Amino acid sequence: MRLFFLFLILIATGCKDSVKEKALDYKTSLLEIKLLETTPVNPRYTQLIASDSGEYLLLLNDFKDKFQFLELPSGGIAHEITIQREGENGISGFNAGTVTGWDSLWVTNRPPSLVLTNFSGEVLKKVTIIDDQTPLTVIRSDFDRRMHQYGNKIFGSQPLFMDHHGMNKDAIQKQRLVFSLDINTGDVEWYDVFYREDYWDNGKKPSGYSWTEKDGKLYIALWHDHEIQVFDMASETIVQRKEVKSNHVNKPDYVNEILPMEKALANSFSSDRYKSLLYDKYRNVFYRFFLPSFDPENLEEEYNHLDLEFSRPYSGVMVLDSELNIIGEHIFDKFQVYSLNNHFVGEKGLYISANNPFNPEYNEDMLRYLIFTPELRER
């Protein structure tokens, strides 16, 4: 096993705002990483990590039930952390995790809890997460909503409505979105961070958000609303709320009742929404992904609709400055990228998976990333 100490964790998250269409200059290149064993080509969790010995891509290999550190750009496996489901170090309800430092991997578990393991997979700490206002069924982290450590606290997210179809509008202000765990004492604290009060004024929009960290602040970008909230981890309060609208996000999805699958998919395709928010520390900008609506009948070929939901034909990205002002936005070509997950920020720019299953260049033997580099001018 190769040792790689002194981790600098590069966390990618993004956001954006739009009033009128702004042209965006950019350049692209392609990175291909040959896979040395069976690995998902679009792993649901990725995290770029740099050390004195080089860059590593941490990914969750669900085929092997392991976290793997891949050397970049060779793809060699430098280290693996096996997820044990049973026994003394078992995490039976594991769903995802975040590396917060050398030899520290925090994972989310079901029933709702946070578990600290080392890089050998040994469980060092387990704390149940309880919200005294809302009964929780799940706590999870994702590549675009990973946990963040600030001082002796781990900050986690809870973006989901626990009873979407059974709750009314007033209950939104009881569904808190951010919590923390004090590593030393085990105390769990919830914060008054909510979806906006008018979130359901025109219908029941789904819940969901992405977040990213910059200078001790968490930028919370809603998937089904233009708003971005800024949570300061030092004062533990919201310090800014801003409308950051894409010109291509105009038709929200309303889920007012349980629908048959095909009808639900049709509603999803005919609506627009946001996805990941990533921060680029090299350029001091944010990237906010969005998924514009489309008509499957106009795709020239017939596709399975459920597959289209996970591998959308069109996706775009907004580039925002450090104050969340819009620099520009760009829509990628049809099936050019896979935008559900598997993207991160590096020194060269925004790395986006080019392995959309409907792309003719799709390849199950390698990770393929389109490197999107905005060309920024002095403002």
Side-chain angles (χ1 to χ4, degrees):
M1 180 184 75
R2 180 174 300 181
L3 298 180
F4 38 102
F5 299 91
L6 302 177
F7 277 90
L8 172 63
I9 297 179
L10 308 176
I11 298 181
T13 327
C15 78
K16 182 152 193 185
D17 177 5
S18 189
V19 176
K20 62 181 179 179
E21 189 73 40
K22 297 183 180 181
L24 181 64
D25 295 327
Y26 64 92
K27 59 183 180 180
T28 62
S29 57
L30 186 67
L31 171 65
E32 295 184 332
I33 304 170
K34 180 68 175 177
L35 293 170
L36 303 181
E37 67 174 40
T38 304
T39 305
V41 294
N42 285 308
R44 62 186 175 92
Y45 186 89
T46 51
Q47 181 178 353
L48 184 64
I49 295 177
S51 75
D52 288 348
S53 61
E55 284 189 333
Y56 300 85
L57 181 63
L58 171 66
L59 61 82
L60 177 58
N61 187 337
D62 280 313
F63 294 157
K64 304 285 187 177
D65 233 10
K66 293 178 179 179
F67 281 98
Q68 296 176 319
F69 294 85
L70 302 191
E71 299 173 333
L72 294 180
S74 70
I77 299 174
H79 184 61
E80 297 181 326
I81 306 173
T82 299
I83 304 302
Q84 302 178 57
R85 301 288 183 168
E86 299 177 346
E88 181 181 357
N89 296 304
I91 309 173
S92 59
F94 163 85
N95 54 54
T98 304
V99 167
T100 58
W102 169 249
D103 213 23
S104 295
L105 171 67
W106 285 91
V107 304
T108 48
N109 192 33
R110 178 177 256 174
S113 58
L114 296 187
V115 181
L116 173 64
T117 77
N118 59 23
F119 284 4
S120 297
E122 298 170 328
V123 171
L124 307 178
K125 187 187 297 285
K126 181 177 181 180
V127 180
T128 300
I129 305 299
I130 296 174
D131 183 349
D132 58 7
Q133 289 189 187
T134 303
L136 299 177
T137 58
V138 64
I139 286 288
R140 65 178 301 150
S141 62
D142 287 292
F143 80 104
D144 66 337
R145 203 176 58 251
R146 62 191 52 161
M147 290 171 280
H148 294 274
Q149 182 168 354
Y150 186 84
N152 63 339
K153 290 187 176 182
I154 298 291
F155 285 83
S157 63
Q158 201 308 94
L160 303 177
F161 292 144
M162 291 292 101
D163 186 17
H164 176 98
H165 292 291
M167 59 187 279
N168 57 31
K169 176 185 170 182
D170 294 339
I172 290 177
Q173 297 304 302
K174 296 181 180 179
Q175 304 263 330
R176 295 179 289 193
L177 306 180
V178 179
F179 70 93
S180 71
L181 166 67
D182 189 303
I183 300 171
N184 297 328
T185 66
D187 293 337
V188 175
E189 185 172 0
W190 288 84
Y191 303 101
D192 289 335
V193 183
F194 306 97
Y195 291 100
R196 55 198 301 167
E197 292 184 359
D198 63 355
Y199 193 72
W200 274 5
D201 274 7
N202 297 314
K204 287 190 168 185
K205 292 188 292 188
S207 52
Y209 68 76
S210 172
W211 74 9
T212 191
E213 187 271 340
K214 174 182 180 289
D215 297 335
K217 296 180 176 63
L218 295 172
Y219 289 72
I220 303 169
L222 308 189
W223 288 352
H224 300 277
D225 197 276
H226 309 302
E227 185 180 64
I228 293 176
Q229 302 185 32
V230 183
F231 177 82
D232 178 41
M233 289 185 283
S235 65
E236 301 179 340
T237 59
I238 292 291
V239 295
Q240 183 184 3
R241 302 176 75 144
K242 185 169 183 176
E243 292 281 297
V244 186
K245 184 187 180 307
S246 165
N247 284 309
H248 305 280
V249 178
N250 300 296
K251 297 176 289 184
D253 188 10
Y254 297 111
V255 184
N256 297 320
E257 58 183 336
I258 299 175
L259 298 172
M261 176 66 74
E262 278 301 316
K263 177 59 176 174
L265 289 172
N267 288 354
S268 176
F269 297 160
S270 63
S271 62
D272 316 309
R273 66 179 184 267
Y274 300 99
K275 285 297 289 182
S276 306
L277 178 68
L278 309 173
Y279 175 62
D280 183 341
K281 73 170 192 175
Y282 301 100
R283 296 162 188 81
N284 195 25
V285 299
F286 295 90
Y287 305 110
R288 190 181 195 183
F289 282 81
F290 59 87
L291 301 177
S293 58
F294 69 97
D295 185 346
E297 299 299 321
N298 295 333
L299 293 180
E300 300 171 352
E301 295 183 36
E302 187 173 338
Y303 298 93
N304 178 282
H305 285 188
L306 186 58
D307 291 340
L308 280 178
E309 177 67 5
F310 293 103
S311 303
R312 301 283 285 238
Y314 299 105
S315 58
V317 64
M318 307 171 72
V319 181
L320 313 176
D321 68 16
S322 60
E323 301 301 319
L324 302 180
N325 301 307
I326 297 170
I327 297 173
E329 49 188 304
H330 172 73
I331 293 183
F332 297 98
D333 292 340
K334 184 174 69 174
F335 296 127
Q336 183 181 9
V337 298
Y338 177 85
S339 55
L340 182 65
N341 51 36
N342 194 21
H343 40 264
F344 53 89
V345 170
E347 190 168 355
K348 293 182 179 180
L350 174 62
Y351 290 65
I352 311 166
S353 173
N355 257 338
N356 189 308
F358 300 122
N359 187 318
E361 302 298 320
Y362 176 79
N363 191 326
E364 293 185 347
D365 296 323
M366 61 178 59
L367 301 174
R368 303 177 67 248
Y369 292 102
L370 178 77
I371 305 174
F372 178 86
T373 309
E375 296 183 336
L376 306 174
R377 303 186 182 98
E378 294 293 330
R379 294 171 65 87

